Amino acid sequence: MATILVADDNRANREALAALLETAGHRVLSAADGSEALERAREHRPELVISDVLMPEMDGYELARRLQLDPATAATAVLFYTAYFGTREAKDLALAHGVARVLVKPSDNDAILAAVEEVLSSRAGPRVVSSGLDREHLRVMVDQLLDKTGALEAQQRRVQRLNRTLAMLSAVNALIVRGSEQQALLEEACRIAVEKGGFRLAAVGLLEPVSGAMAPAAAAGEGSAERDLARLKPGARAVIWNDAESGSFVALPLIVGGATAGVLLLYARVRDFFDEEEMRLLQELAGDVSFALHHLEQKARMDYLAYHDSLTDLPNRSLFIDRIGQALSAARREKRFAAAVFLDVERFRMVNETFGRKAGDELLRQVGARLREAAREEDTVARIGADHFAIAVAGFDHPGETTHWLIERLGAAFARPFLVDGVELVVMLKAGIAVFPTDGESTEALCAHAESALKHAKDGAQRYLFYAPEMNARVAEALAMENRLRRAIDDGLLSLHYQPKIDVQSGALAGLEALIRWNDPELGAVPPAKFVSLMEETGMILAAGNWALRRAAADMRRWQAAGLEVPRISVNISAIQLRQKDFVDSVLQAIAGLGRRPLLDLEITESVLVDDIEESTRKLQTLRRAGIEVSVDDFGTGYCSLGYLARLPVDTLKIDRSFVVRMGEAGTPRNIVAMIVSLAHTLGLKVIAEGVEHDAQVRLLRSLGCDQIQGFYVSQPVPADKVESLLGPGAQDSLQRRMAAA
Ligand code: C2E
Ligand code: MG
Ligand code: MG
């Protein structure tokens, strides 16, 4: 057993050594630096001092030298235990200082104990310290210190770098925990890699399943990874590149569900950046990002499943409630209407029981698809129960028209039978409709009222019921009208009346306008204002408009055959007609028998022309080449800009009656009429005033230079058989006299 003094500035080192020596049966003292060791050695006279070399205050060499110089401690053996003892010179220096042995840190326990035993047993008398060692000592010390500083700095850099990577890893993990949408997550992860990880550039590419290519998904930092992404082959292992100029980069695969889903690219500014330790952390990072991708994908699927009906792929009740809520907020903000329509497939249970569940499921799928077709793009069709569907009808301006339109579309969609398992099934729908805000201001109220309307519809004979009774009355009236009108077209109850247009200067008959009339046996003469828009809503206008064109052409031919001098005849055309692809053809067909100069004109409302100016222009040009003239009807009520007007292929402006009526008042209305007249003439167009009833209006229009007038002043619209009297020479004379007197 010996007394041994351990000198080391590192406490952990001291304690480890002390424990080892104590277990071996020695008495151990310790000191934190050279000067403390010297003091304790003088006091306790240990047989052996085990000393570190680099220590504050006094290093190991100095300690060894002083121990030897002092007779009291000259016999103490010294053993250096040090990590920085590379050079031969350092060893020589130690021996020259009387150091018995140099052990390199770390050594294993057996080696340490063996060295201690050896030194203790061979302890000789006091050693001699050679002189002239001081300078040599200094030089070796400086070398060693430089060595140590270099190693420490390298270590520090490594630690810093790993710390940066760790900081990045934890920031990305925090980001993942917060959870967000995939794109945001990837972009944020790249940003963190650049800001916290110190990478020059970070990018993510995602594998495109079809092409198998890596498509750029997110990036942050300097430069672009797109070229590298393009040439990357999706693999399962990380790949490192080192480049003499640009540094190094690593491609870390992102593995989702066992397959490579993408790649994370990290670019460092230096070569050989990606060592083993760094890679361990980065693999972890890639693993975490992969996990997040997987999680988000699953969440998206779960969300979809939570809000959709898996059978029909339509939104389910929860999503429907959400959507109708959104539709109501939008309608409230924009001061528009919205509606909830609840639908029930009639006798669905019977289908299920008769044809089996599979057939029932198939029918529901098809019902869902047809509802989707019937609704508008902006509406939400949902399946809210076994055989219950619902439609959230988003913002609209005319509740009557829109709901009527929807009912029509639903009717048409279910008119065709469904083909299920080779069997044709006719399916009836019952619907309950509640309109916002009149039938309810909140989602709950609106849905409850739509449901109660549906219940009434199911109990009664009607297929569609509104919650508000007056809506039912209005729709019922429209439906009844529609049926009558349909019959009227089939039974030939429509007719044309003609109203003359007169030349303001000469009083000569300049043209006739054909106006449609409906004489219902029960309702009597129904004004066009009441049924033309209904025909437009239901599409009946196509048949009726075509009929009007052919009727006018036939009348004209008849009058010509009777030897009458027939002026130009104009026919009104609806927006719906104009929008048809075959519009031009159907007009040309209608006038086919009228020869090369057909004398047939079209009147089209101003607002319709500007709707789709390119398309309208093309169609009208073709017709004008065939000799047809075009009038802009109700001019002044639409929003036709001067630019549009100049481009439109038209011949005549018809000043709307509302301006003519108020023309007597001085000021704006009169100025407007004056302006329209001069505008028309500037553009080389004719101008007609509609709804002229009084002498005064005739005089004013004449003075303003208006070309023609039309109105009760000249004549009411008259039936076809009365036109002959208008065309006769007697009628012309009396008209001209009246005009001259005006
Ligand atoms: P519009 O083309 O502007 O026709 C002029 C309307 O003013 C006609 O009404 C005519 O009877 C009326 N009117 C003419 N002179 C006077 C007058 O001095 N005083 C008053 N108060 N009214 C006068 P009508 O026949 O009821 O037609 C209304 C609208 O229905 C027409 O306006 C036209 O837009 C549309 N319409 C008529 N027939 C057809 C048709 O065959 N096809 C299409 N698509 N629309 C038609
Ligand atoms: Mg007209
Ligand atoms: Mg008009």
Side-chain angles (χ1 to χ4, degrees), residues 582-739:
D582 61 355
F583 171 68
V584 171
D585 285 340
S586 66
V587 174
L588 293 178
Q589 269 170 32
I591 62 162
L594 293 179
R596 274 171 47 82
R597 290 191 55 244
L599 297 181
L600 201 110
D601 300 339
L602 306 180
E603 294 196 7
I604 305 176
T605 308
E606 180 187 6
S607 52
V608 171
L609 288 172
V610 276
D611 261 3
D612 184 356
I613 191 144
E614 250 91 67
E615 186 71 16
S616 308
T617 304
R618 226 166 334 106
K619 287 176 177 167
L620 296 185
Q621 265 162 352
T622 317
L623 292 174
R624 281 175 92 218
R625 275 199 294 274
I628 293 170
E629 291 189 2
V630 179
S631 305
V632 182
D633 209 347
D634 308 330
F635 187 77
T637 59
Y639 297 96
C640 194
S641 75
L642 210 57
Y644 275 12
L645 196 59
R647 279 167 60 198
L648 276 172
V650 296
D651 306 276
T652 309
L653 298 188
K654 293 190 80 175
I655 304 174
D656 192 65
R657 198 172 77 85
S658 57
F659 299 111
V660 176
V661 168
R662 293 169 55 212
M663 195 174 54
E665 312 158 19
T668 316
R670 184 180 305 177
N671 293 342
I672 290 177
V673 173
M675 218 184 61
I676 296 176
V677 172
S678 78
L679 175 67
H681 288 162
T682 309
L683 293 172
L685 307 175
K686 270 182 297 192
V687 58
I688 306 183
E690 294 185 295
V692 178
E693 296 183 3
H694 309 294
D695 278 347
Q697 292 168 330
V698 177
R699 281 197 298 274
L700 198 52
L701 286 163
R702 188 185 285 148
S703 75
L704 292 175
C706 185
D707 301 303
Q708 297 174 14
I709 56 163
Q710 182 186 350
F712 297 168
Y713 175 78
V714 180
S715 164
Q716 294 259 349
V718 296
D721 53 11
K722 296 266 164 45
V723 171
E724 282 150 49
S725 61
L726 276 175
L727 299 180
Q732 297 264 10
D733 286 348
S734 77
L735 250 178
Q736 275 168 12
R737 269 200 304 280
R738 234 177 105 199
M739 289 293 285

Side-chain angles (χ1 to χ4, degrees), residues 305-566:
L305 289 179
Y307 290 110
H308 287 81
D309 163 44
S310 56
L311 181 66
T312 58
D313 238 9
L314 292 174
N316 62 13
R317 183 182 270 271
S318 313
L319 186 53
F320 173 75
I321 298 292
D322 189 62
R323 292 278 172 83
I324 191 113
Q326 286 176 18
L328 295 199
S329 327
R332 195 172 292 125
R333 215 173 33 242
E334 294 158 12
K335 304 216 180 331
R336 301 178 80 197
F337 295 91
V341 182
F342 278 48
L343 301 146
D344 180 76
V345 182
E346 283 238 284
R347 294 191 314 269
F348 173 73
R349 180 116 67 87
M350 227 177 64
V351 173
N352 238 358
E353 282 164 6
T354 318
F355 300 98
R357 252 200 94 122
K358 238 184 85 211
D361 283 356
E362 179 53 30
L363 176 63
L364 289 175
R365 254 195 293 275
Q366 291 188 24
V367 166
R370 285 207 196 165
L371 288 176
R372 197 49 278 178
E373 274 169 40
R376 303 171 306 168
E377 192 76 46
E378 60 266 44
D379 303 333
T380 301
V381 176
R383 181 173 175 230
I384 57 170
D387 53 353
H388 281 52
F389 292 83
I391 306 176
V393 188
F396 50 87
D397 297 316
H398 309 285
E401 274 173 36
T402 305
T403 47
H404 180 242
W405 174 86
L406 182 67
I407 288 171
E408 281 289 322
R409 299 261 304 183
L410 290 174
F414 285 77
R416 284 174 290 135
F418 289 79
L419 192 67
V420 175
D421 259 357
V423 182
E424 281 200 352
L425 297 173
V426 176
V427 170
M428 296 259 284
L429 274 188
K430 289 271 186 172
I433 305 165
V435 178
F436 167 89
T438 37
D439 295 345
E441 298 241 12
S442 69
T443 305
E444 295 74 30
L446 204 65
C447 288
H449 290 164
E451 204 143 21
S452 97
L454 173 62
K455 195 173 166 305
H456 281 115
K458 275 162 75 174
D459 293 344
Q462 266 150 310
R463 273 206 260 159
Y464 307 102
L465 270 186
F466 284 87
Y467 179 70
E470 64 276 12
M471 270 302 267
N472 286 325
R474 247 161 72 191
V475 170
E477 191 198 8
L479 284 173
M481 267 294 243
E482 190 189 320
N483 286 331
R484 277 173 185 281
L485 191 52
R486 227 178 264 284
R487 261 184 287 129
I489 296 176
D490 294 344
D491 299 352
L493 294 179
L494 297 183
S495 62
L496 287 185
H497 282 198
Y498 292 91
Q499 188 177 37
K501 301 172 185 174
I502 303 294
D503 185 294
V504 184
Q505 302 303 334
S506 68
L509 182 65
L512 292 169
E513 178 176 7
L515 292 158
I516 201 163
R517 293 292 177 265
W518 172 22
N519 219 329
D520 185 80
E522 278 172 44
L523 303 172
V526 186
K530 234 183 153 174
F531 70 89
V532 169
S533 61
L534 185 61
M535 289 199 302
E536 288 180 331
E537 272 170 45
T538 54
M540 280 189 274
I541 194 71
L542 293 178
N546 234 322
W547 170 85
L549 277 167
R550 286 165 191 275
R551 180 78 255 164
D555 284 343
M556 180 182 281
R557 269 202 306 272
R558 208 179 61 243
W559 294 324
Q560 283 169 337
L564 295 168
E565 177 121 7
V566 188

